[in-house]
Amino acid sequence: MLDFTRECNFARGALQQRSAGESMENAELITGYIEHINAGLARVLAFMGMDATAVRAEGPYVYDDRGRKFLDFLGGYGVFNFGHAHPRIVAEVKAELERMPLSCKLLIDEPAIRAAKHLAKVLPGDISKFFFTNSGTESVEGAIKLARLHAGRPNLIYAHRSFHGKTLGSLSASGRDQHREPFEPLLAHFIQVPFGDAAALKLVVDENTSAVLLEPVQGEGGINVPPDGYLREVREITSAHDALLILDEVQTGMGRTGYNFACEREGVVPDMIVLAKALGGGVMPVGAIGGTPEVWAQFEEKPLIHSSTFGGGPMACAAVDAALTVLVEDKLAERAGRIGETFLADLKKLREKYPQIVTDVRGRGLMIGLQFASSDIAELAIGAILAKELLVAFTLNAPEVVRLEPPLNMPEELFPEAISRLDAALAETAALVEQYA
Ligand code: PLP
């Protein structure tokens, strides 16, 4: 149980230790976080040296009130594929802000049509119908409902270590016990299978399955890349039983893995796709559920069976349209694939240099994970890396894995710079680990 007073005192103590040269204004902001947002989280931030306020962000950089200039290799957990405050995306959103910031709900919003048409053009196959949401978890919730509505079947199959969000429906399909247990019982008829194992999936998909919900590459599960051919086999298994395949591309989408959408690598077209994070170009919070006309048929018969007040708003949809334009025109997926290959190779060299602490390096495109020997070592390494003003973080379902998800338009010369900062931080971590071993 969280001891609130103890957490506050700890966080205040950390604050006082470094507040000698700091303004009252900064100290008050952090105290405000402790007292009114979350004292437990303040403690974590203090431990990492991140109990400071963000002042501004531009392109690949984030600036704080301690005068630090962070090079962003975290990318907001997959939000900033286009960097921070991309001028073209900001301009489109600003235009909507001045024209009509939110939908009046009873007239058609042109930006929503524009965004949907653009998505239909960029997405593979016949995914041509869209429902806009405000986040990843909302997109997953909606997809689970639409799958049940379409199929009239109860079961939903998901993978071990998956992450689909933290509202009750998507949490029921997320594969980490620690996040699930306090909220049980979760939704019934959700069946977990190992990730990347088509044979295990084949054993559970049957006439009671509404859908199989998967990430093409698991993000929060620790950047897990399935064996080649896995997605194609999953597609065959689901089609054979008339079950839907829902791909969660909230994190893998929008160019991240070297393809506009990760499913393109194996030529797989899902029945539904869920998107969020970078969909709003790093400027607006927006998500989407995409589906085929067949999947949408029931929804179109009962169009009010699922709805959202804010979903599909003009500013959010203008951001989607602009983000897709930048993605395609700047060939960012191709760039992520090319640069990601060199970056991954350089990171593998660091693994060879520090085998006592880094046990694996893996990923696809610019979605890369560094696996440490333990979550404690990962925590030490994160502290050292952040101290070098390089933003990184661990993955939610695998705290021993540090993820690297830089903007896809990160200037190329900043990759060797990141490697040299990582090298220095890993050297310090390895020395510390050796000292306390
Ligand atoms: N799906 C995936 C694959 C994710 O990585 C995440 C968030 O990390 C979500 C869904 C949930 O998104 P949100 O935090 O916007 O609800």
Side-chain angles (χ1 to χ4, degrees):
M1 182 80 115
L2 186 72
D3 177 340
F4 183 77
T5 313
R6 197 181 69 105
E7 295 298 332
C8 282
N9 287 341
F10 179 90
R12 278 203 195 89
L15 178 67
Q16 275 158 10
Q17 272 173 25
R18 67 161 184 77
S19 66
E22 241 160 347
S23 71
M24 269 310 291
E25 201 184 330
N26 294 354
E28 268 169 30
L29 276 171
I30 295 158
T31 311
Y33 189 92
I34 293 166
E35 286 174 359
H36 301 293
I37 305 281
N38 191 316
L41 207 49
R43 183 177 204 262
V44 176
L45 293 174
F47 181 79
M48 294 191 296
M50 298 302 279
D51 49 335
T53 46
V55 173
R56 73 187 177 92
E58 193 180 355
Y61 293 109
V62 178
Y63 301 80
D64 79 358
D65 64 354
R66 289 202 231 164
R68 295 181 294 183
K69 176 183 175 185
F70 290 97
L71 184 54
D72 192 352
F73 267 66
L74 172 60
Y77 307 140
V79 169
F80 297 110
N81 291 18
F82 308 94
H84 293 267
H86 191 290
R88 187 163 178 178
I89 304 168
V90 168
E92 296 289 335
V93 171
K94 261 191 186 161
E96 291 306 318
L97 175 66
E98 278 153 27
R99 188 188 67 84
M100 184 167 177
L102 286 176
S103 171
C104 80
K105 302 309 288 183
L106 277 183
L107 291 166
I108 290 169
D109 293 302
E110 184 276 333
I113 313 286
R114 210 176 345 130
K117 274 191 177 170
H118 209 156
L119 274 169
K121 191 166 160 211
V122 178
L123 281 162
D126 54 349
I127 300 175
S128 55
K129 300 275 186 175
F130 299 93
F131 180 90
F132 290 105
T133 70
N134 309 281
S135 68
T137 199
E138 260 185 81
S139 300
V140 172
E141 293 288 337
I144 294 170
K145 284 179 67 184
L146 293 182
R148 280 195 173 170
L149 186 68
H150 167 79
R153 301 168 172 185
N155 294 356
L156 186 127
I157 297 165
Y158 68 98
H160 179 56
R161 286 207 161 189
S162 60
F163 186 87
H164 298 291
K166 285 184 181 158
T167 50
L168 278 177
S170 50
L171 184 63
S172 304
S174 286
R176 190 180 186 197
D177 292 344
Q178 199 178 322
H179 290 158
R180 298 166 58 95
E181 276 162 7
F183 306 103
E184 283 175 346
L186 294 172
L187 293 188
H189 305 291
F190 278 53
I191 300 166
Q192 192 179 113
V193 292
F195 181 65
D197 183 345
L201 183 75
K202 203 170 181 176
L203 294 176
V204 297
V205 178
D206 58 22
E207 68 283 359
N208 290 319
T209 307
S210 65
V212 173
L213 169 63
L214 288 176
E215 297 156 84
V217 173
Q218 286 189 330
E220 303 304 323
I223 316 292
N224 302 318
V225 182
D228 280 344
Y230 173 64
L231 272 194
R232 251 199 319 269
E233 281 187 76
V234 173
R235 178 66 282 186
E236 281 163 20
I237 295 166
T238 46
S239 297
H241 292 273
D242 279 333
L244 300 181
L245 172 60
I246 307 173
L247 288 182
D248 179 345
E249 295 237 24
V250 164
Q251 196 159 157
T252 53
M254 303 298 281
R256 174 58 56 195
T257 68
Y259 300 83
N260 284 339
F261 299 93
C263 59
E264 291 168 25
R265 183 171 177 273
E266 292 193 1
V268 165
V269 180
D271 302 290
M272 269 194 263
I273 191 162
V274 290
L275 303 168
K277 291 196 189 270
L279 183 65
V283 177
M284 287 300 294
V286 51
I289 312 164
T292 61
E294 199 189 335
V295 172
W296 240 242
Q298 287 289 324
F299 188 22
E300 286 174 329
E301 269 182 35
K302 308 176 186 77
L304 294 178
I305 203 150
H306 190 70
S307 58
S308 160
T309 299
F310 288 129
M315 284 165 69
C317 288
V320 173
D321 184 45
L324 289 168
T325 302
V326 175
L327 176 72
V328 174
E329 283 186 4
D330 294 356
K331 296 188 172 62
L332 289 182
E334 205 180 302
R335 189 174 194 270
R338 178 175 56 79
I339 295 178
E341 230 169 85
T342 316
F343 189 47
L344 188 66
D346 289 343
L347 289 166
K348 284 187 173 162
K349 286 182 200 147
L350 288 184
R351 182 192 173 242
E352 280 161 28
K353 196 167 171 187
Y354 303 103
Q356 67 280 37
I357 56 166
V358 183
T359 56
D360 194 20
V361 176
R362 55 179 178 262
R364 181 162 287 155
L366 284 172
M367 183 170 176
I368 298 178
L370 294 186
Q371 181 158 342
F372 285 83
S374 70
S375 54
D376 288 343
I377 295 177
E379 208 171 298
L380 276 179
I382 290 171
I385 298 166
L386 291 173
K388 305 272 175 272
E389 301 188 7
L390 187 68
L391 282 189
V392 297
F394 55 77
T395 54
L396 266 177
N397 287 355
E400 70 283 9
V401 178
V402 169
R403 104 272 291 289
L404 298 162
E405 295 185 35
L408 311 184
N409 56 5
M410 171 80 69
E412 215 157 331
E413 67 276 12
L414 293 178
F415 285 88
E417 170 63 31
I419 290 285
S420 97
R421 293 190 204 185
L422 283 169
D423 192 356
L426 293 180
E428 285 171 18
T429 310
L432 260 179
V433 169
E434 200 172 332
Q435 194 180 328
Y436 292 105

